[in-house]
Amino acid sequence: MREVEILLPVLDSAKKALDSLRKIKFAGSKKTLDIYFVDPLRTDLKPDSNGRLIRALRLRRKGDRNYLTYKKDNFGEKDIWLYSDEHEVQISSFENGFEILKQLGFEILVEIKSVKHIYENERYEIILEDVDELGLFLEVERKNIADDENVEVVKKEIREFIEALGIKVGQELNIGKPELMLRKKISTSPVR
């Protein structure tokens, strides 16, 4: 499945951003734990030379549901992220999923804890996400992307939708929260 979304840092307060989303159907708030894994024997799940995860293996606990996800990022002109091919399956036990990955030799790359406030309409899933150690983000994902749809056109529509929300946001990010967390950890690690 193609995942086409836009991620932006939110410059407004959480209260103001949530007030701006009131006109959209609220689907709930969920505590989320994402654990991204690397395989020490393979390079494809490791960050590239620019610190990006081109391919990612994630174990997620979102509320009372658990998922195992494999993602492959696709880039366009000027090496800008366009979309991800995402394969996700719900699993019954987060702990068992973690243990299976550990026993197969996978190691934790980064953990991300957040609270997601989820809104949706017929066309978009809108998430205001408060991420531990990183801050507040707005993520808007287009639902039901047809295989023949032009991703650039879809992203333009998402940008226009975001602008109409009236939430003050920063520049569109060309990386995801795992890469942001990795950069933060590198920048705050003591010099050796």
Side-chain angles (χ1 to χ4, degrees), residues 20-41:
S20 296
L21 293 171
R22 274 195 332 223
K23 58 189 173 248
I24 302 169
K25 179 185 167 198
F26 180 60
S29 293
K30 308 256 185 206
K31 286 186 178 180
T32 304
L33 170 61
D34 287 337
I35 302 177
Y36 288 81
F37 291 88
V38 294
D39 181 345
L41 302 177

Side-chain angles (χ1 to χ4, degrees), residues 19-101:
D19 285 346
S20 296
L21 293 171
R22 274 195 332 223
K23 58 189 173 248
I24 302 169
K25 179 185 167 198
F26 180 60
S29 293
K30 308 256 185 206
K31 286 186 178 180
T32 304
L33 170 61
D34 287 337
I35 302 177
Y36 288 81
F37 291 88
V38 294
D39 181 345
L41 302 177
R42 298 170 41 195
T43 59
D44 61 338
L45 294 178
K46 293 179 182 175
D48 70 7
S49 60
N50 296 319
R52 293 181 308 188
L53 290 175
I54 306 298
R55 297 171 190 260
L57 179 62
R58 178 185 70 207
L59 181 62
R60 170 175 280 176
R61 175 182 285 149
K62 184 176 177 184
D64 61 352
R65 295 195 176 180
N66 308 296
Y67 304 90
L68 183 62
T69 308
Y70 174 78
K71 295 172 81 165
K72 179 184 174 225
D73 287 346
N74 296 276
F75 297 85
E77 290 182 27
K78 300 181 185 174
D79 212 25
I80 302 290
W81 177 82
L82 289 178
Y83 67 94
S84 296
D85 291 314
E86 181 177 274
H87 306 279
E88 185 169 76
V89 62
Q90 187 172 349
I91 60 174
S92 61
S93 169
F94 183 88
E95 291 74 16
N96 285 343
F98 184 87
E99 190 61 29
I100 288 169
L101 293 171

Side-chain angles (χ1 to χ4, degrees), residues 96 108 123 151 185:
N96 285 343
I108 295 174
R123 199 157 176 85
V151 173
K185 291 190 178 300

Side-chain angles (χ1 to χ4, degrees), residues 2 12 27 34 47 71 84-85 101 106 110 116 118 121 125 135 145 148 152 155 186:
R2 285 198 302 174
D12 279 334
D34 287 337
K71 295 172 81 165
S84 296
D85 291 314
L101 293 171
F106 289 92
V110 66
K116 295 179 183 242
I118 305 160
N121 62 24
E125 180 181 62
I145 304 284
D148 62 347
E152 293 287 0
K155 289 189 96 165
I186 289 169

Side-chain angles (χ1 to χ4, degrees), residues 1-17:
M1 173 175 106
R2 285 198 302 174
E3 175 188 57
V4 181
E5 65 187 21
I6 290 180
L7 178 67
L8 308 121
V10 174
L11 304 178
D12 279 334
S13 69
K15 182 187 180 322
K16 188 170 182 183

